[in-house]
Amino acid sequence: MEFIDYYKVLGVIKNATDEDIKKAYRKLARKLHPDLNPNDKEASKKFQQLNEANAVLNDPEKRKKYDQYGEHWQHGDEYEKAKQTRHRSAQNNGGQQFSEGFGGEDFSEFFGSMFGGKAGGSNQVKFRGQDYKSELQLSLNDAYTTHQQTLTVNGKNIRISIPAGVENGQTIKIPGHGGKGVSGGPHGDLYITFSIANTPQFKRTGNDLYTTLDIDIFTAILGGEKIVDTLDSKIKLKVAAETQNGTKIRVKGKGFPVYKRDGHFGDLYVTYTIKIPTAINEKQKELFTELANLSK
């Protein structure tokens, strides 16, 4: 039987602490567990060795024996003979025991506990399942209202409710919808990150919306009314006389819904863009010329 270096199996140094050994075992057991590596004989072999290493090095008495005799397991027969010889010598010397030589430990029992039967047993640890991560793309209109969507994760359909106001890049957790637990451990969780793109008409920053609105030169000079779209309706705006190009106004409460705060909304910011008329006729040119002269 080939000697197995349990410290090497766990990837720890010989004087590793109990906590170091536990951490190493947990990390490798999650990686090599047969449930996560079906039909992988190599992983199964490594997992068996891993459980043996854990069973021995996590037990102070077994670890002590392993450190003392582990590398010399081939000499077990020699030890047994030496032990029997010492036993007979002790009887001939009135029961006096000698402590030299191999040290009086039960070598065969030591090797039976390490190399025989199944290692691990009650030392196996329940592992929580792997967390799943997914990205879900939403339109700005989708994110504006609370709605439900069905996702397919690992072959299972999951129906989730998406609250209005979810933000681009925001991640929500769906408990228990991740990977299956190992050795009876709980399922992992599902983390969904939302990707929400702006539209050509609206740009979202936090809970506020930004848009532009074209107005003609006459409305800009004389004032008037304009209709502007929001994400769920149309509203009428009063344009003040002598409005300058690039003027920005705020429409309170007409922005994006605040996440998980029913009835609360951000604001809508509207920037006016004054459109200069083109293809004007001769009469219009005369009037603009007259207007220009009057301005002088």
Side-chain angles (χ1 to χ4, degrees):
M1 182 181 295
E2 183 181 357
F3 172 72
I4 301 174
D5 187 338
Y6 289 146
Y7 291 103
K8 186 176 181 180
V9 168
L10 284 168
V12 297
I13 59 178
K14 192 169 182 180
N15 62 348
T17 65
D18 292 344
E19 188 62 29
D20 291 336
I21 291 171
K22 288 178 181 178
K23 286 181 179 179
Y25 173 71
R26 287 176 181 273
K27 180 180 179 180
L28 291 171
R30 180 186 291 275
K31 178 181 178 182
L32 298 172
H33 198 283
D35 288 353
L36 301 179
N37 300 275
N39 303 318
D40 188 334
K41 292 182 179 180
E42 185 63 24
S44 179
K45 179 182 177 181
K46 289 181 178 179
F47 185 71
Q48 182 180 7
Q49 290 183 353
L50 184 68
N51 274 328
E52 286 183 7
N54 183 57
V56 172
L57 300 186
N58 248 328
D59 184 308
E61 187 62 27
K62 288 180 181 178
R63 184 177 179 181
K64 178 182 177 183
K65 291 178 181 179
Y66 178 78
D67 288 343
Q68 188 171 2
Y69 301 115
E71 296 181 4
H72 306 290
W73 67 272
Q74 301 99 323
H75 304 298
D77 290 340
E78 295 176 19
Y79 170 74
E80 286 295 328
K81 291 177 183 178
K83 187 177 74 169
Q84 291 172 8
T85 300
R86 289 197 311 277
H87 180 69
R88 286 194 295 269
S89 297
Q91 289 179 330
N92 294 334
N93 286 277
Q96 182 181 359
Q97 298 281 346
F98 295 93
S99 60
E100 66 271 22
F102 286 93
E105 297 290 352
D106 192 336
F107 194 79
S108 61
E109 181 181 346
F110 162 56
F111 280 101
S113 70
M114 284 203 300
F115 300 106
K118 293 183 178 179
S122 60
N123 287 324
Q124 290 195 22
V125 180
K126 294 181 179 181
F127 290 99
R128 181 175 171 275
Q130 182 181 2
D131 289 334
Y132 289 159
K133 295 181 180 180
S134 179
E135 182 177 275
L136 180 60
Q137 294 185 346
L138 298 178
S139 69
L140 209 56
N141 291 82
D142 286 337
Y144 187 83
T145 58
T146 297
H147 67 287
Q148 292 188 327
Q149 286 204 24
T150 300
L151 307 177
T152 301
V153 179
N154 204 28
K156 279 183 63 177
N157 289 334
I158 303 172
R159 192 165 180 81
I160 63 171
S161 181
I162 302 174
V166 65
E167 293 193 36
N168 179 50
Q170 181 176 344
T171 299
I172 64 173
K173 180 176 77 173
I174 311 297
H177 284 284
K180 183 180 179 182
V182 176
S183 299
H187 282 60
D189 300 325
L190 170 63
Y191 290 86
I192 300 174
T193 300
F194 295 100
S195 176
I196 306 168
N198 292 318
T199 69
Q201 187 174 6
F202 294 101
K203 177 184 176 183
R204 178 187 178 191
T205 301
N207 298 314
D208 296 327
L209 286 175
Y210 294 80
T211 189
T212 59
L213 180 64
D214 293 341
I215 59 174
D216 58 60
I217 192 170
F218 310 107
T219 303
I221 294 172
L222 303 174
E225 293 181 341
K226 290 289 290 186
I227 302 298
V228 65
D229 291 325
T230 69
L231 280 175
D232 65 348
S233 63
K234 295 179 181 290
I235 58 174
K236 185 183 292 184
L237 298 179
K238 289 186 176 180
V239 181
E242 301 178 5
T243 292
Q244 300 298 306
N245 185 54
T247 296
K248 183 187 293 183
I249 65 165
R250 183 180 74 160
V251 186
K252 192 174 181 180
K254 289 298 181 179
F256 220 74
V258 180
Y259 183 69
K260 288 191 174 181
R261 293 186 65 189
D262 291 343
H264 289 76
F265 292 81
D267 300 327
L268 173 66
Y269 290 86
V270 181
T271 299
Y272 291 130
T273 300
I274 300 174
K275 305 302 289 185
I276 303 298
T278 58
I280 60 177
N281 56 38
E282 290 301 320
K283 180 62 177 176
Q284 289 172 321
K285 286 183 180 179
E286 290 177 10
L287 292 173
F288 275 111
T289 300
E290 184 179 346
L291 182 60
N293 292 329
L294 288 173
S295 298
K296 294 177 182 178

